[in-house]
């Protein structure tokens, strides 16, 4: 069935009559030049929800399938570079091997993220061109950073508890530390994961995908982007942590109207665990001390934020007026509840299939302990 999203300046579709004969059993009408158009606002909203969920499914599918496609070209490029390098000693060989290993990951990571970004820009249309006029004080951004750091400390401790619970039930995740041991390779790793990778990820999820979902309501957009963030983490513990942190990053984006603060928060929250692993790899005391300090900072920042702003955690419930879009004169609010919107989004075959593939990858990462 074709679907026309555009409308004229007066609302509705061009030259809509007051009464149309029902030519289709599902409440739609055929207009020459437009195809079948829904006249029922409820069906119109469900269709748009499924369309937005399909875009999110396309993002997840591209992030899953594109890395293996770019892996072989990346290996060929690294191999050609290696022929021109001179490794006079075993130490030089180890350094260049570590650097080229990080470069190979970059060569298939960045193209994947860039193509996904282009896909969202092409499919988002006018949804991603809308600008937010939200004004915020610099103190709000500073307090939001403190809350994010505290939440990241809680996520770190909760991840350790989750690992203990999984081991108690005879399960464990096959997660190998990908942080290199050589300083030169560590700098490249931090630059990729805590800076460039974070900026591209935030621009994709909070800068583009969040805007696509915002026409269905801020709370729904926040939940859907957080679900996508949790799934593409690729592991059980990492996915739960990414889901919780994505809720905070999305809230900051909605609250401030800009992704810059969310990017800064994400960089800091991704940087300190890596630095802790590099400088204190086996020190449980140092990890506990840092997490405790960050949690205290988060509690203080959260308290001050709630004291200064009584509406700090109120999200907008405004959504697109589907009644006016379908040609009705009397505007009505969304007929779907938050649960109804989630149910409609989950019925998108493309989104469900992509989510299932990521869940399979998460389950494959689990192993049964003997």
């Amino acid at each position: 069935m074709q679907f026309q999203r555009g409308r004229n300046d007066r609302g509705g579709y061009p030259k809509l009559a007051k009464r149309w004969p029902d030519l289709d059993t599902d409440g739609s009408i055929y207009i020459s030049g437009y195809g079948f158009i829904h006249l029922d606002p409820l069906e119109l909203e469900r269709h748009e929800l499924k369309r937005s969920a399909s875009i999110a499914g396309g993002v997840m599918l591209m992030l899953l399938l594109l890395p293996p496609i770019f892996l072989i070209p990346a290996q060929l490029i690294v191999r050609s570079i290696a022929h021109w390098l001179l490794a006079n000693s075993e130490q030089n060989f180890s350094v260049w091997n570590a650097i080229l290993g990080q470069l190979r990951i970059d060569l298939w990571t960045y193209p994947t993220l860039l193509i996904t970004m282009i896909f969202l820009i092409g499919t988002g249309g006018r949804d991603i061109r809308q600008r937010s006029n939200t004004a915020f004080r610099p103190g709000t951004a500073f307090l939001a950073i403190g809350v994010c750091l505290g939440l990241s400390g809680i996520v770190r401790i909760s991840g350790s508890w989750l690992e203990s619970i999984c081991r108690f039930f005879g399960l464990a995740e096959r997660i190998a530390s990908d942080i290199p041991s050589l300083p030169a390779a560590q700098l490249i790793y931090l630059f990729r994961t805590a800076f460039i990778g974070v900026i591209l990820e935030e621009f994709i999820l909070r800068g583009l995908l969040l805007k696509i979902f915002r026409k269905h309501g801020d709370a729904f957009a926040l939940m859907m982007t957080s679900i996508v963030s949790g799934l593409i983490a690729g592991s059980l513990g990492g996915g739960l942590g990414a889901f919780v942190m994505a809720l905070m990053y999305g809230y900051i984006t909605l609250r401030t109207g800009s992704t810059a603060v969310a990017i800064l928060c994400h960089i800091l929250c991704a940087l300190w665990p890596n630095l802790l692993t590099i400088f204190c790899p086996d020190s449980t005391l140092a990890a506990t001390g840092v997490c405790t300090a960050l949690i205290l900072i988060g509690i203080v920042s959260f308290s001050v934020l709630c004291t200064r702003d009584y509406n700090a955690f109120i999200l907008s419930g405004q959504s697109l007026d589907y009644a006016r879009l379908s040609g009705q004169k009397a505007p009505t609010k969304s007929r779907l509840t938050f649960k109804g919107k989630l149910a409609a989004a989950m019925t998108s075959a493309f989104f469900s299939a992509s989510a299932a593939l990521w869940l399979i990858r998460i389950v494959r990462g689990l192993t049964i302990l003997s």
Side-chain angles (χ1 to χ4, degrees):
M1 177 179 293
Q2 299 182 19
F3 180 74
Q4 176 67 24
R5 300 177 65 242
R7 57 188 176 92
N8 59 11
D9 297 334
R10 297 171 297 174
Y13 294 96
K15 299 181 181 180
L16 270 179
K18 294 183 179 179
R19 300 182 64 182
W20 285 88
D22 190 3
L23 302 181
D24 198 2
T25 57
D26 61 355
S28 61
I29 191 72
Y30 180 82
I31 301 178
S32 178
Y34 290 92
F36 284 99
I37 297 175
H38 290 292
L39 297 181
D40 185 1
L42 183 60
E43 293 298 325
L44 189 65
E45 185 173 7
R46 286 175 177 170
H47 187 102
E48 193 71 6
L49 281 166
K50 291 182 180 180
R51 178 183 178 274
S52 301
S54 297
I55 293 176
V59 170
M60 292 191 296
L61 195 62
M62 294 175 75
L63 293 177
L64 182 66
L65 299 181
L66 286 180
I69 295 176
F70 288 109
L71 182 59
I72 294 179
Q75 290 177 339
L76 293 176
I77 294 174
V78 169
R79 183 179 178 181
S80 63
I81 295 175
H83 286 297
W84 295 94
L85 298 177
L86 296 177
N88 298 326
S89 63
E90 183 178 353
Q91 183 178 2
N92 289 338
F93 178 79
S94 301
V95 171
W96 282 116
N97 186 42
I99 293 176
L100 291 177
Q102 296 299 314
L103 179 62
R104 183 188 61 179
I105 299 175
D106 293 340
L107 290 176
W108 60 257
T109 299
Y110 294 153
T112 298
L113 296 176
L114 291 175
I115 291 177
T116 305
M117 190 185 306
I118 294 173
F119 166 76
L120 280 174
I121 293 174
T123 57
R126 59 186 177 186
D127 295 331
I128 63 175
R129 293 193 296 268
Q130 295 180 357
R131 295 184 179 180
S132 176
N133 56 358
T134 304
F136 67 98
R137 301 175 181 176
T140 303
F142 180 76
L143 293 173
I145 293 174
V147 175
C148 280
L149 289 173
L151 187 60
S152 66
I154 296 175
V155 168
R156 175 89 175 193
I157 294 177
S158 301
S160 301
W161 291 347
L162 178 62
E163 183 180 356
S164 301
I165 293 173
C166 290
R167 290 185 177 277
F168 177 79
F169 288 100
L171 295 175
E173 288 189 282
R174 295 190 296 267
I175 301 178
S177 178
D178 54 351
I179 299 180
S181 57
L182 297 176
Q186 288 175 351
L187 290 176
I188 299 176
Y189 174 83
L190 291 176
F191 183 76
R192 184 186 74 248
T193 57
F195 291 96
I196 301 300
V198 166
I199 293 173
L200 293 177
E201 179 184 348
E202 286 299 316
F203 189 75
I204 290 173
L205 295 177
R206 257 65 66 176
L208 297 175
L209 191 60
L210 185 68
K211 287 184 178 181
I212 292 175
F213 279 111
R214 283 197 74 179
K215 60 178 173 287
H216 308 298
D218 286 352
F220 177 76
L222 185 60
M223 179 57 68
M224 288 300 296
T225 52
S226 300
I227 290 174
V228 173
S229 298
L231 288 173
I232 64 176
S235 62
L236 180 60
L240 293 176
F243 172 80
V244 174
M245 295 305 301
L247 289 174
M248 192 64 199
Y249 300 145
Y251 161 76
I252 293 173
T253 303
L254 295 173
R255 189 67 182 172
T256 61
S258 173
T259 57
V261 182
I263 289 174
L264 179 59
C265 292
H266 197 164
I267 288 176
L268 294 176
C269 293
L271 188 61
W272 75 262
N274 290 328
L275 292 177
L276 187 64
T277 304
I278 291 173
F279 293 104
C280 305
D282 300 322
S283 178
T284 306
L285 181 61
T288 304
V290 171
C291 291
T292 303
L294 291 177
I295 291 173
L296 291 176
I297 293 174
I299 293 174
V300 173
S301 302
F302 181 79
S303 302
V304 176
L305 182 63
C306 293
T307 303
R308 294 184 59 181
D309 191 354
Y310 296 102
N311 299 323
F313 297 96
I314 297 179
L315 297 177
S316 173
Q318 184 180 4
S319 60
L320 191 65
D321 191 352
Y322 296 96
R324 185 179 179 185
L325 185 62
S326 62
Q328 297 184 9
K329 291 184 178 180
T332 59
K333 296 182 179 179
S334 174
R335 299 182 184 181
L336 291 176
T337 61
F338 181 80
K339 294 182 179 179
K341 292 178 181 179
L342 282 179
M346 296 303 170
T347 55
S348 170
F350 205 56
F351 180 84
S352 301
S354 302
L357 291 176
W358 276 104
L359 288 174
I360 292 173
R361 180 175 178 177
I362 292 174
V363 173
R364 287 186 60 187
L366 296 174
T367 181
I368 301 177
L369 300 175
S370 57

